[in-house]
Amino acid sequence: MGSVHFPPPGSSGPSGPGARARRRGPGWPVLLVLTFIVVPLAEIAAILAVGRTIGGWPTVGLLLVVSLVGAWLMKREGRTAWRALTEALRTGRMPAREIVDGALILIGGTLMLTPGFLTDIAGLLLIAPPTRPAARRLLQGAVERRLLAGAGFGGGPPFGGGPFGGGPSGAGPSSGPFGGGPDRPGDGPDVIPGEVR
C-alpha cells in the first residue's frame, strides 16, 4: 500500500500558518503608514483645496463648526448607546451590539474632533444612525475573522500534538497511550503458553 505524506508542523501548505498569514491581509506596518503619512497628507490637500475655494478664514471657521457638531453628536448618540447598554444588562441579555455601537461612537467622535474634512466625513459615517449599521457589520466581521484566525480554525491542528495524535511530544502517529504502538494489547513481546515445573 502507498504511504501518505503529512507536511511537517509550521509548513506553509494550504492549511499551515503561512497560508493563514497570507489570508490575514495587511499588517500593522501598512496601517501605521496609512495613519501617520497618507491620511495627514490627504487632509492637508483637502484643507488647501477648500481654502482656495472659500478662503482661509471661512475654512478655519468651517473646521471649528464641524468639530462642535461632532462633539454634540457624539454626546447625544453616546447617551443613547449607554441607555441601551444598561437596559441590555438589566434584562440579562448579552450587549454585543451595544458595545460595538459604543466603540463606533467613540472612534467616530475622536475622528470628528480631529481637524480635517476627511476624518470628519469618516467620523460622521461611524456616528450617524443611518450609516452606523453598515460600519457595525464591518467591525463585527473583522473581529470574528481575527478571533477565528487566532484560535487556529483556518488550519493547523490545535490538538495535533501530544499523546492523542503524535507530534512533537509523542513518538509518532502510532505511539502513545491512544495512538497505537507498544501500549496496545497484543503489540508486546510474544508469550508462549506452558507450565513452569
Side-chain angles (χ1 to χ4, degrees):
M1 296 177 63
S3 60
V4 180
H5 175 71
F6 294 96
S11 65
S12 299
S15 60
R20 292 199 303 272
R22 287 192 296 268
R23 288 196 297 266
R24 288 177 185 173
W28 286 107
V30 177
L31 296 178
L32 291 176
V33 169
L34 290 175
T35 303
F36 294 104
I37 297 179
V38 177
V39 173
L41 291 177
E43 285 287 6
I44 293 174
I47 292 174
L48 292 177
V50 175
R52 284 194 298 267
T53 302
I54 65 175
W57 288 111
T59 301
V60 174
L62 183 60
L63 289 173
L64 292 176
V65 169
V66 171
S67 297
L68 293 176
V69 171
W72 171 80
L73 190 59
M74 183 179 72
K75 183 178 179 180
R76 191 193 72 172
E77 295 300 324
R79 188 182 296 115
T80 303
W82 177 257
R83 285 198 298 265
L85 177 62
T86 54
E87 179 66 20
L89 294 176
R90 188 182 63 83
T91 57
R93 180 174 56 85
M94 177 64 69
R97 174 176 176 175
E98 289 76 11
I99 293 176
V100 174
D101 281 345
L104 291 175
I105 292 170
L106 180 61
I107 297 172
T110 304
L111 290 175
M112 291 198 71
L113 292 176
T114 303
F117 294 107
L118 300 180
T119 53
D120 291 339
I121 295 173
L124 183 62
L125 293 177
L126 295 180
I127 295 178
T131 56
R132 197 190 310 153
R136 186 193 308 125
R137 287 191 295 269
L138 291 176
L139 180 59
Q140 288 177 339
V143 172
E144 289 174 359
R145 286 192 299 270
R146 177 67 63 177
L147 291 177
L148 291 177
F153 290 103
F159 307 102
F164 298 97
S169 60
S174 62
S175 65
F178 300 101
D183 292 337
R184 294 187 303 179
D187 285 348
D190 294 335
V191 178
I192 301 175
E195 294 183 0
V196 178
R197 295 180 182 273

